[in-house]
């Protein structure tokens, strides 16, 4: 099999994956801040991390994947300014920060489930690690930090090549943080934020620097080291993290390990999902979250497919048309595979006839996760004629395990979601469709036309002769 090559943001190059512990792949993904629902852009980051994990397993590695839950410490600005997002959400809603974290963590996990994102080996919840964070901060405080009234700050000049990941020195000063007075360097950042005198926070802990809360960057360094050991193999996150959050994690890792190593061999970043309609902003009323897609009758796995059609390093533009097209593409695969499942069971091993398909699939995913090509190879296999059905099914199962649609159990009925705006029941529509079949048998075309008009008026688009056999669809 071809070697797995991944794009390392550190070197801006493709590099062969060489695990630190033979046969194992240890991966840490920055998780969500649970002060609100996730938007589907956020979910792209987890579909990407999940695909990476699935590819690593396909390539034979024993995967240990950690995703964290940020339930404290992330400020409204990535610079050290603004409120803690959790405290702010609590103040606005009248609920406790703890309840808010619990609620949105559950919602996030529900979205992951819808998208077939595999459970990580462990969820690390930031507030569970605060004592470890304090110990970690103590161990680097003397050599690398200084105290201001507002907190304990990391001095970025104390580590080698600060900001190399962001290319901060060469690319128009990205990665700079400059909002707190008294800092030695613009890019210095808080690792402990003291609660201002006279205030109390819902989430605060005692520390050698006074009552307060950990900085967001500190959390990921501590949790990744605690669960995966230092250094580990791959660290993932969205491309925004390449500029501030990950350079700061690297600085802490280097300080704590007394080493120039960044802490992870490969740093990988997914590009953004963008929406020209501005519906990705959580502060702008209705925003693009998975439930909105579901509410309009689009199965979340159509969104997964939409993500996989693009390369994870490319920007992806969201549109409802694009999502609709992805749903049709998914339906075709689901129907092809369901038919096959009705005829055969997966064979123990596929024959030679499939070797070139498997090789092309493996080459594609090994080339920095080229899922767009892998998808077309899977579709070619689904469309193959005059081959052994059991062998074909086995190959589909293996490819599907990497792309993560669940084709071995998914049926077309699962994909048909009812838009919340629709008032008709499915039974009513199915009965109408059966009635249309009778009318057609009687060649009663005027009645057929009237029936179609009735259904259209009620928001049902009748698709007589639809090649997918879909019959009808509710308009969103
Ligand atoms: P947050 O909850 O803000 O920490 O974000 C969770 C994850 O989503 C991080 O890895 C972000 O980098 C990523 N992310 C945020 N916005 C987008 C977007 N529009 N497209 C893709 N990933 C995003
Ligand atoms: Zn992180």
């Amino acid at each position: 099999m071809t070697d797995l090559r991944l794009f390392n943001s550190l070197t801006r190059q493709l590099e062969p994956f060489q695990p630190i512990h033979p046969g194992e792949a240890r991966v840490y993904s920055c998780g969500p801040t649970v002060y609100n629902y996730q938007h589907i852009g956020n979910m792209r980051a987890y579909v990407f991390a999940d695909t990476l994990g699935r590819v690593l397993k396909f390539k034979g590695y024993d995967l240990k994947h950690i995703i964290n839950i940020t339930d404290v410490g992330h400020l409204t600005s990535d610079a050290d300014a603004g409120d803690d997002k959790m405290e702010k959400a609590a103040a606005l809603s009248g609920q406790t920060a703890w309840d808010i974290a619990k609620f949105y963590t559950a919602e996030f996990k529900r979205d992951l489930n819808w998208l077939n994102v595999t459970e990580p080996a462990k969820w690390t919840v930031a507030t569970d690690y605060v004592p470890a964070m304090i110990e970690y901060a103590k161990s680097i405080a003397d050599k690398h930090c200084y105290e201001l009234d507002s907190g304990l700050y990391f001095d970025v000049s104390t580590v080698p090549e600060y900001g190399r990941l962001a290319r901060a020195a060469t690319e128009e000063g990205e990665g700079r943080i400059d909002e707190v007075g008294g800092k030695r360097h613009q890019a210095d950042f808080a690792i402990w934020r003291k609660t201002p005198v006279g205030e109390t926070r819902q989430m605060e802990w005692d520390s050698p620097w006074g009552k307060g809360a950990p900085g967001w960057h500190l959390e990921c360094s501590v949790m990744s080291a605690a669960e995966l050991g230092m250094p580990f193999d791959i660290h993932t996150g969205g491309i925004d993290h390449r500029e501030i959050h990950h350079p700061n994690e690297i600085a802490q890792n280097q300080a704590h390990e007394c080493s120039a190593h960044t802490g992870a061999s490969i740093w990988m970043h997914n590009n953004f999902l963008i929406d020209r309609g501005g519906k990705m902003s959580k502060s702008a009323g209705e925003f693009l979250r998975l439930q909105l897609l579901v509410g309009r009758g689009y199965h979340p796995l159509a969104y997964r497919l939409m993500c996989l059609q693009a390369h994870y390093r490319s920007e992806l533009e969201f549109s409802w048309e694009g999502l609709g097209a992805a749903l049709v593409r998914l339906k075709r695969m689901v129907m092809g595979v369901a038919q096959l499942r009705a005829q055969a069971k997966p064979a123990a091993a596929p024959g030679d006839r499939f070797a070139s398909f498997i090789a092309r699939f493996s080459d594609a995913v090994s080339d920095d996760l080229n899922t767009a090509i892998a998808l077309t190879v899977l579709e070619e296999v689904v469309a193959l004629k005059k081959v052994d059905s059991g062998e074909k099914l086995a190959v589909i199962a293996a490819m599907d395990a990497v792309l993560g649609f669940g084709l071995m159990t998914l049926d077309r009925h699962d994909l048909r979601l009812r838009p919340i705006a629709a008032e008709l029941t499915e039974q009513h529509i199915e009965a109408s469709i059966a009635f249309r079949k009778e009318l057609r048998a009687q060649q009663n075309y005027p009645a057929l036309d009237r029936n179609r008009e009735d259904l259209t008026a009620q928001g049902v688009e009748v698709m007589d002769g639809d090649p997918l056999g879909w019959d009808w669809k509710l308009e969103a």
Side-chain angles (χ1 to χ4, degrees), residues 147-213:
E147 211 173 324
L148 296 177
D149 287 347
S150 53
L152 184 69
Y153 287 82
F154 191 98
D155 178 337
V156 299
S157 69
T158 62
V159 290
E161 288 191 281
Y162 173 78
R164 178 174 151 225
L165 178 67
R167 299 282 194 271
T170 52
E171 286 175 17
E172 295 165 5
E174 286 171 319
R176 299 291 150 124
I177 306 180
D178 188 19
E179 296 212 16
V180 176
K183 290 200 301 190
R184 291 181 190 161
H185 314 95
Q186 281 185 310
D188 290 353
F189 56 92
I191 65 172
W192 188 263
R193 294 173 303 112
K194 295 186 204 176
T195 304
V197 181
E199 281 182 28
T200 26
R201 289 183 179 140
Q202 290 189 23
M203 292 175 151
E204 58 180 13
W205 293 261
D206 286 322
S207 83
W209 315 282
K211 258 199 182 17

Side-chain angles (χ1 to χ4, degrees), residues 30-35 38-46 70 74 85 216 236-241 270-274 280 282:
C30 284
T33 308
V34 284
Y35 71 105
Q38 298 297 298
H39 58 53
I40 57 173
N42 300 132
M43 299 315 288
R44 186 182 187 197
Y46 308 109
T70 303
H74 196 173
K85 290 187 182 188
W216 173 42
T236 79
I239 190 112
D240 51 331
H241 290 349
N270 64 278
N271 211 322
F272 266 28
L273 178 81
I274 47 172
M280 208 77 79
K282 294 181 189 175

